[in-house]
Amino acid sequence: MPTDREPGAFYLARGQDRYRPTKHTAGPWDPNAQHFGPPSALLVRALEDLPTDRERQLARVTVEILGPAPLAELTVRARVERPGRSVELLAAELAADGRTVARATAWRITASDTAAVAAGAAEPIPLPADSTAAWPPGFHGGYIDAMEWRVVAGGLDRPGPATVWVRQRVALVEGERPTSLQRLFAMADSGSGVSNRLDPRQWLFINSELTVHLHRLPSGSWTGMEADTIIGPSGLGTASTRLYDASGQIGTGAQALLVRTR
């Protein structure tokens, strides 16, 4: 469990692929369970560390959430599931107390020069000089306070679509500078939260997975989110998010949602 004096990081490395979460990982619903942004980033970190003999890039990452991630020591392991010269499938697992809480799969693709034909990405969204982001009543601190939020459109404390910029205030792992993809996945799981349409005191809208498709690596410390949630008539929902850096769109995210009354 976290101590009263926390370092400026989501996790402390304990060796042998083990990591202790700090209070900065605590989610808004339950202070004893992690927001899945930091665990997703930790899985991506393990995927990025897999060796390769050529320049490759992650094109799609899916994180399957198998249960709550407790504020307890985690073990992360990754492997090349199916090797290939041009395209390969990677996999990673996150476990706590011997229980697998999440699995990730990723397609890693060999890089090539397509700059001359690059097209189709959405234009940049504005970055406000400053703004105050308010969250719905009852949301706990932890992860929310460990990120800086700036609202462009909509609002985090009212229902409906929202466009926000997010930046980490703390490192992913103590003593390390997070990569651009680790920063992206630390916040990509927030799409359903920033675009929720329901009162969280009366409704649950829990995502069972996160899928991110990328067409280029992000740059800079800020990540933009243009998020919207659709709620169906039978307890299903989908959160869809365009992901940005200062130069424009870098990819898209999606989350399948379980929706029900509390």
Side-chain angles (χ1 to χ4, degrees):
M1 294 294 292
T3 61
D4 291 336
R5 292 187 61 191
E6 292 291 352
F10 288 122
Y11 298 103
L12 307 179
R14 287 293 181 252
Q16 297 181 324
D17 301 317
R18 297 178 295 115
Y19 302 88
R20 182 173 74 82
T22 71
K23 68 179 181 182
H24 301 304
T25 64
W29 311 109
D30 181 354
N32 297 311
Q34 297 181 54
H35 185 284
F36 241 90
S40 298
L42 201 60
L43 285 163
V44 166
R45 178 179 175 272
L47 294 171
E48 287 185 302
D49 282 346
L50 289 172
T52 179
D53 60 354
R54 65 198 68 194
E55 184 181 355
R56 300 180 190 265
Q57 54 208 335
L58 297 182
R60 190 274 291 160
V61 179
T62 295
V63 177
E64 307 286 5
I65 301 172
L66 306 181
L71 265 71
E73 187 174 273
L74 302 174
T75 301
V76 186
R77 291 192 172 90
R79 64 189 182 278
V80 177
E81 187 84 359
R82 197 220 72 178
R85 290 180 59 83
S86 299
V87 179
E88 56 186 8
L89 181 64
L90 313 181
E93 290 190 355
L94 186 73
D97 298 324
R99 175 178 63 90
T100 302
V101 297
R103 294 193 183 102
T105 57
W107 287 106
R108 190 164 67 173
I109 294 176
T110 300
S112 63
D113 185 1
T114 55
V117 294
E123 294 297 314
I125 55 176
L127 175 64
D130 195 12
S131 64
T132 301
W135 287 89
F139 272 37
H140 301 283
Y143 170 82
I144 288 176
D145 292 341
M147 310 292 279
E148 183 176 355
W149 308 84
R150 295 189 182 183
V151 177
V152 176
L156 305 180
D157 59 343
R158 60 180 187 265
T163 302
V164 302
W165 285 93
V166 191
R167 178 169 64 176
Q168 282 181 238
R169 299 181 189 271
V170 301
L172 178 62
V173 175
E174 186 182 34
E176 293 183 9
R177 184 179 180 87
T179 67
S180 60
L181 280 185
Q182 291 165 23
R183 289 195 301 268
L184 175 67
F185 277 85
M187 51 72 65
D189 191 63
S190 300
S192 58
V194 304
S195 66
N196 79 81
R197 295 179 177 272
L198 301 169
D199 185 340
R201 294 168 294 185
Q202 301 178 30
W203 291 89
L204 292 173
F205 41 96
I206 303 170
N207 63 299
S208 59
E209 55 87 39
L210 166 68
T211 298
V212 172
H213 287 91
L214 296 158
H215 54 259
R216 67 173 173 87
L217 284 174
S219 62
S221 59
W222 287 95
T223 301
M225 306 179 70
E226 198 172 48
D228 194 7
T229 292
I230 297 172
I231 299 172
S234 60
L236 302 180
T238 305
S240 301
T241 307
R242 283 183 174 179
L243 300 164
Y244 295 83
D245 64 12
S247 299
Q249 187 183 7
I250 56 177
T252 57
Q255 297 160 285
L257 305 178
L258 174 156
V259 183
R260 70 182 184 199
T261 55
R262 286 187 173 275

